[in-house]
Amino acid sequence: MTTMDTRPVEEIRFGGARVFAADLFSPAEVDQVRAAVDAAPAGLWHEGTRTPGVGGMATIGEPLYRSRGRLGHYAACARAENRVLYRHFRLVHERVATFFEQRYGLPVVYADELAVPGFHVFGFDAPGEYAGGGWHVDALETQAPSLIERGADITAVVTFTVPFELPDGGSGLDLEADVPGAPPGRRGGGEPITVPYRTGTMVFAESELWHRISGSRCLTPGRRRVTYQGHGVRLDGRWIFFW
């Protein structure tokens, strides 16, 4: 990919794969976004299950991975929520989009039937070690009907996460490189790495990588992990961002 980024980007290599990190938000802006999370309209919140050892989870916006079996519901949520979600978190959407527009030299756009990037909010009631997520690749471009129809025309993908609040013992992103020469469909098994999250620093990948949310360590009660999440596909000379 041709890059035109103006902000310093850290490249992290492991087992033939790579991810990147870029500082996008100042401490004052991180606080501003955290306040916006607390003030998000009630209609944007989608509650998840409260799982022992994992914590309570909610999303701001409805992500595709939670609506794979109800694509009509996903599209309806996107149409109802996208404009409100974008306006309420304009600082985040515009900062991230501008970074990638400068990096790739192409515009970032959104689609009515695809949810604009949103937030994961995990709450930890008590001190302790909390499990992360399961190993997976996102591959959301193979799950949204409007993108499946244009799959042959998608020329690149990007995934990104920006942490805005973390438990006081830390959290991060676990990744594994693919084993060279592995059979088709087998992912991971190669060199592992954990990328610690830092508030205001975006972690992004330019390929579909085998990954999971790291565990979280909470030293004091009432902590949260709040992350802005998104995906993008390059299609028709532009990037479409969604989640």
Side-chain angles (χ1 to χ4, degrees):
M1 295 181 182
T2 300
T3 62
M4 301 173 57
D5 55 277
T6 58
R7 292 174 180 267
V9 176
E10 178 187 3
E11 182 177 349
I12 304 164
R13 292 184 173 271
F14 60 105
R18 61 181 185 171
V19 293
F20 304 89
D23 296 331
L24 292 192
F25 297 89
S26 69
E29 290 170 331
V30 167
D31 289 342
Q32 181 180 339
V33 175
R34 289 169 59 182
V37 167
D38 291 336
L44 296 179
W45 287 85
H46 297 261
E47 295 294 332
T49 58
R50 181 170 292 275
T51 305
V54 176
M57 190 272 280
T59 63
I60 303 177
E62 178 69 359
L64 178 57
Y65 81 89
R66 292 182 64 186
S67 292
R68 291 188 184 104
R70 348 175 255 171
L71 293 175
H73 169 77
Y74 170 73
C77 288
R79 294 189 183 99
E81 298 172 0
N82 277 355
R83 286 172 176 77
V84 177
L85 183 57
Y86 189 93
R87 287 195 299 267
H88 189 78
F89 294 103
R90 183 182 296 273
L91 168 64
V92 185
H93 294 301
E94 292 187 352
R95 181 68 53 79
V96 171
T98 297
F99 170 85
F100 285 115
E101 287 179 339
Q102 293 176 342
R103 182 169 176 82
Y104 302 134
L106 295 172
V108 168
V109 301
Y110 306 90
D112 287 341
E113 74 278 8
L114 298 173
V116 300
F119 289 80
H120 274 143
V121 181
F122 284 82
F124 309 113
D125 294 335
E129 303 282 343
Y130 289 86
W135 287 97
H136 64 285
V137 294
D138 294 313
L140 294 187
E141 68 280 2
T142 68
Q143 301 168 44
S146 61
L147 298 179
I148 293 171
E149 295 171 0
R150 300 292 310 280
D153 301 317
I154 293 173
T155 56
V157 299
V158 67
T159 65
F160 49 89
T161 298
V162 187
F164 284 101
E165 187 171 344
L166 295 169
D168 45 4
S171 188
L173 180 67
D174 296 333
L175 303 111
E176 281 185 359
D178 293 339
V179 175
R186 179 177 176 182
R187 302 301 305 266
E191 181 182 350
I193 188 175
T194 296
V195 179
Y197 282 153
R198 305 190 304 269
T199 55
T201 297
M202 179 171 67
V203 177
F204 67 97
E206 296 175 332
S207 61
E208 298 284 6
L209 298 176
W210 191 242
H211 69 282
R212 68 179 180 184
I213 299 172
S214 296
S216 292
R217 187 167 183 239
C218 189
L219 304 179
T220 55
R223 297 288 179 161
R224 300 189 302 186
R225 182 178 67 223
V226 178
T227 56
Y228 175 76
Q229 311 276 158
H231 308 264
V233 296
R234 190 170 67 191
L235 179 65
D236 296 335
R238 57 187 183 173
W239 283 92
I240 302 172
F241 277 10
F242 68 105
W243 86 320

